[in-house]
Each structure stands twice: as C-alpha cells, then as structure tokens.
Amino acid sequence: MTRTLPVALGIVLLGAALAGCTSPGDEAGASASSGGTDMQAYEKWESDYRACFSKAGFELPMDGQIDFGDRQGEYESVMAQCDDEVGPPPGADREETPEEKAAAKEASAAEEKCYLDAGYTPGTSDDPDAFSHPEDAPDDLVSRCADVYVDTAERALDR
C-alpha cells in the first residue's frame, strides 16, 4: 500500500509543529485571522477531517496505516468527498524548504532501512514522493518504522 497521504500529513504536521513553536511573548503576535498557532490550526483541520470520515462510517487510525480491505474503494470515495468538504491541511500549499526536503529524504532512507533490517523489502511506486511499506509487514513493524521516520525527520530539522 502506498502511504502518500500519511507521509504528506506527517510532513505537514511536523512542519506545523515546528512552525507553531513560539518563544514567550510571541503568542500575542499570532494573527487573529490565523486562529492561533499553526499547530492549533492543524489540529482543528485534523479533527474536522476525522469527523467527516466518521460521519461516513470510517474511523481513521492514529498510526497512519490506512487499509480498509474490501471497503478501500468506498474509503477513497469518502476521502475525495472529505477533501472537498474540509479542504487541504493548513500549510499544504506552501513549498517545502530545502531543509525540509533533505529531512524527508533522510527520514525515508531511515524508514526503508528499518524495514530492510527486519527482513522486509519496501514496495516500489511510480511516484518518487510516495513510500510503499511492505504489504506483509506486521502492524507493529509498520508503526515502529513510521516512528523511525518521524524521529529522523525531527532530528534532521533540529540540526
């Protein structure tokens, strides 16, 4: 399964989390039109997006692994509907900085190594920005390797 959406959301969330960090006194500078920090805006969007799926009978997993089996076609239809209804996540239309691109590339390599070290070969995709985890990987490994991705990206951005 290709994890384009979860990876994209993870990058956006990571960027929003880092952009949402403020020093004391900066909170007063947050624009009223932005509805607070970038992280608060993302959390509101995520809540609305999850609620849209819930209304349609889908509960999105927190670990980012999305596979609804024989309901996958219905899920993709609901995703298109929720994309239209809720819109893109805050910050999705901004260009990634060179540092963010490098961090994502480093994190993807670390995630791939996580699977390879466990004896699994990640899938391939025609989309160079998509990552396909091994179809037969157990859920705990998928979760652990996703954590490796996030930890690696955070460390790379902190440098």
Side-chain angles (χ1 to χ4, degrees), residues 34-52:
S34 72
T37 67
D38 290 340
M39 182 56 115
Q40 289 168 329
Y42 179 84
E43 288 171 350
K44 166 90 171 84
W45 172 86
E46 182 182 28
S47 174
D48 292 346
Y49 198 68
R50 287 180 176 281
C52 181

Side-chain angles (χ1 to χ4, degrees), residues 85-129:
E85 185 178 313
V86 179
D93 59 347
R94 75 172 182 79
E95 279 292 315
E96 283 184 301
T97 66
E99 294 82 9
E100 289 168 334
K101 287 179 184 177
K105 184 175 182 178
E106 184 178 332
S108 289
E111 184 177 26
E112 180 177 20
K113 183 179 182 323
C114 176
Y115 285 113
L116 292 171
D117 288 350
Y120 292 87
T121 303
T124 59
S125 172
D126 293 336
D127 180 356
D129 294 327

